[in-house]
Amino acid sequence: MNIESRINNSIKNISFGLLAQVIQMLFGFITRTVFIKYLSVEYLGVNGLFTNILALLSLTEMGISSVLLFSLYKSLAEKEERKIASLINFFKEIYCKIAVIVAVIGLLLMFFLNDIVQNPSVPLARDLNIIYLLFLFNTVSSYFFYYKISLFNADQNGYIISICNALVFVVQNIVQIILLVFFKNFILYLIVQSVFQLSGNLAISLLINKYYPFLKKYKNEKVDENTKKNIFSSVKSTALVKIGGLLVNSTDNLILNYFSGLAMVGLLSNYNLLIGLASGLIVQVFSSLTGSIANVNVTEDIKKRTSIFNSINFANFWLYGFFSICILVLINDFITIWIGTKFILSIPVVIALTFNFYMYGMQNAVWTYKSTFGFFKEGQYLVILTAIINLVLSFVLGKQLGLLGILIATALARLMTNAWYDPYIVLKLGLNKKPIEYLKKYLLYLVILTISYLIINCITNYLPFEMKVNFGIKIILCLIVPNLFIYLFFKSSEEFRYFKSILFLLIIKKNKKR
């Protein structure tokens, strides 16, 4: 695949992906607003709690998704239809078994729901089992489709999934809003979600059969023993990474519920929703690029791979840095205007949330390269150490500081482990470069963002207008200050010139079509 084809595929996936993400953001935000108005904050809490519990159940998936994608990249690049079909058939068997295991464990957990959700209101206690079963159904049913859906992503056709998901999501949310307004019923809300999620997955599955007809032709094709051996070897490593990652990312709500109750989990869920919207936009960009990056790593020399890595990492910083500034400056004002002051969290908590968002996000380029290089074994035990440090510190600091302590614990656990080790692996083993250069850039990026925030904060502290006017001014400052600083510092860099050349290429191509 030539450079222009990769760029075209990336642009198409990013464009459709971002459009779909924005549509889902808008409708998701509207639905959450209606949810808060017609249902109590306790339902927000149980929504976040059950989401985390079932995320922990996905430990049984053991990171197989990463291995599946990596297994497909080379076969897709070389158009080996028989090999692709055999891999899909093999992973189908695995995912069906995972679905059964998750269903069984999930059903067993029902016996402990009253211990997990303590002192719920009478209506919630009455419906708790049904609510949990609907969450479990959504989790289990998705496993019967992922092995096929991943084929679109690996083949740089992720935009098809984005379009389908956006259409289904819009209709789903319209129906959910109507039901919330007229019936104020959380169970009906979840039933609609289940029906539309299943329908969307079925639709994408049918499209995959249409785009890849050879899957039916080779439906009985088996993978060879050597491929099986390599896959299981990689899965052993990704399992540890998966366990560690989930214990770090999916335990905060459980620990917070233990120390502070469902109401605090509900308050945090609003912040996580908004931060998740920002993260979703950025992740959409990078997930759209994964197939193209994999193609570069399979077909290009180390100089080209390094150049693309530096450019992707710079784009990662720009996006996460800009959104971090926006979160710090705007999120409390936004929540106050949106649903009122009783839903806001303290400034130290917002700073901790933002730091975790930025630090986790800055790993994006590194993790994309790590997975497309197939570095599954490297750092597998360190992730477990991250999880142990996080859990210990979360209980110690959570007891003393509540939510703030839990967030600080997560940040410290990452700083002490994978925040430095994963970049080291990619640069040293994958790109044959000195990690110190990455560290210097990382610190420079952080300094630029800190200066930008301090300037905005100094200006906004003296704004004399009422809240909504001040909020508008803050938005303008967030758009100008960090982006101006980034442009001034990096306008002559190789990374900036790379993206400028892509922009010129697109403009020229557009003019030719005219």
Side-chain angles (χ1 to χ4, degrees), residues 36 41 44 266-267 270-271 335 339-345:
I36 292 168
V41 71
L44 273 180
L267 292 181
N270 290 324
Y271 283 76
I335 286 179
I339 48 179
T341 54
K342 67 179 181 178
F343 288 94
I344 65 170
L345 297 171

Side-chain angles (χ1 to χ4, degrees), residues 296-474:
V296 169
N297 289 337
V298 168
T299 60
E300 301 287 355
D301 59 27
I302 196 165
K303 184 178 179 182
K304 183 67 176 178
R305 280 182 260 166
T306 304
S307 174
I308 297 297
F309 172 80
N310 290 334
S311 299
I312 297 297
N313 193 52
F314 172 69
N316 192 52
F317 150 68
W318 196 327
L319 289 168
Y320 271 98
F322 168 68
F323 277 106
S324 294
I325 297 291
C326 290
I327 291 166
L328 271 175
V329 175
L330 301 172
I331 197 165
N332 268 0
D333 285 359
F334 182 84
I335 286 179
T336 300
I337 295 168
W338 175 32
I339 48 179
T341 54
K342 67 179 181 178
F343 288 94
I344 65 170
L345 297 171
S346 66
I347 295 299
V349 168
V350 173
I351 292 171
L353 277 168
T354 307
F355 186 69
N356 274 305
F357 164 80
Y358 177 76
M359 184 166 51
Y360 185 78
M362 279 301 290
Q363 296 285 94
N364 241 333
V366 170
W367 286 334
T368 301
Y369 266 74
K370 192 168 182 273
S371 65
T372 55
F373 275 133
F375 292 155
F376 300 120
K377 293 182 180 179
E378 290 76 9
Q380 56 185 332
Y381 298 110
L382 195 70
V383 183
I384 300 298
L385 179 61
T386 308
I388 293 169
I389 294 170
N390 179 59
L391 286 172
V392 172
L393 289 179
S394 289
F395 275 98
V396 173
L397 297 177
K399 186 176 181 180
Q400 301 297 322
L401 302 172
L403 174 57
L404 178 61
I406 293 168
L407 295 172
I408 290 173
T410 303
L412 289 174
R414 286 180 179 144
L415 277 172
M416 293 164 68
T417 53
N418 56 14
W420 62 268
Y421 186 77
D422 286 339
Y424 173 83
I425 288 297
V426 169
L427 290 159
K428 194 75 175 176
L429 301 184
L431 302 174
N432 198 25
K433 296 294 177 184
K434 293 180 179 179
I436 192 67
E437 296 302 320
Y438 175 89
L439 179 61
K440 286 178 181 177
K441 284 184 180 179
Y442 194 100
L443 293 175
L444 176 61
Y445 293 160
L446 207 54
V447 168
I448 291 168
L449 292 178
T450 303
I451 293 171
S452 298
Y453 172 68
L454 291 174
I455 290 172
I456 293 172
N457 199 44
C458 286
I459 297 171
T460 55
N461 280 340
Y462 297 99
L463 291 177
F465 311 104
E466 57 97 15
M467 175 171 279
K468 290 182 180 178
V469 176
N470 285 349
F471 184 69
I473 295 170
K474 287 179 180 180

